[in-house]
Amino acid sequence: MSQPSQAEPPPPDLGIVSRVVNGNVVLAVTGEVDTEAAPKLRAALITAIDGTADACVLDLTRVDFLDSAGLATLITTDRYAETHGKSLRIAVDSNSTVIRPIEVTGLDVVLRLYHTVDEALEASNRPPRAER
């Protein structure tokens, strides 16, 4: 009698929910942002940036994992927003596992980071800390 194979469960799907708050698009992301999911996130961010008059808020507070492809997506979409006269504001919990790769790579100085979505929505389009 053979034992059933114990395959690893598939990784959690990337979930993206978009909503508009006071003219700003908020993208709430759940799951893992890895090489497979990064293009989906990038496409959603470009659409959100194009669809807002001012700022796009990316809520990463419920993301479990962020790899180099996810970091690259944050950089390229931040630049995309800037070239279109808009800002990308990122809400990330300081206790989250997602903040670690952002800090290790020095992106916490380059990106506009906030502790909560509300804080990001209330912020002006201030430049990242490195440019102040």
Side-chain angles (χ1 to χ4, degrees):
M1 199 187 276
S2 65
Q3 298 240 346
S5 65
Q6 295 282 328
E8 289 186 36
D13 288 335
L14 182 71
I16 302 174
V17 175
S18 177
R19 62 187 168 106
V20 177
V21 179
N22 298 328
N24 296 307
V25 178
V26 177
L27 286 183
V29 181
T30 57
E32 297 183 357
V33 182
D34 57 13
T35 304
E36 187 177 309
K40 180 180 176 183
L41 177 59
R42 183 180 187 287
L45 278 167
I46 297 297
T47 299
I49 291 165
D50 289 344
T52 187
D54 184 27
C56 173
V57 175
L58 176 61
D59 180 2
L60 297 180
T61 59
R62 295 184 57 210
V63 169
D64 303 319
F65 177 78
L66 180 71
D67 73 0
S68 60
L71 293 170
T73 297
L74 297 181
I75 295 166
T76 58
T77 53
D78 182 63
R79 288 184 186 148
Y80 179 86
E82 285 183 17
T83 61
H84 289 81
K86 301 172 185 182
S87 72
L88 176 62
R89 302 173 190 167
I90 302 168
V92 59
D93 183 356
S94 61
N95 295 323
S96 165
T97 57
V98 172
I99 193 65
R100 182 81 175 127
I102 292 172
E103 290 175 338
V104 167
T105 56
L107 291 177
D108 59 324
V109 176
V110 177
L111 299 171
R112 291 167 184 85
L113 301 178
Y114 303 88
H115 295 286
T116 66
V117 170
D118 288 340
E119 184 182 307
L121 286 168
E122 292 169 7
S124 66
N125 280 337
R126 67 163 172 79
R129 284 183 263 169
E131 298 175 11
R132 282 192 204 172

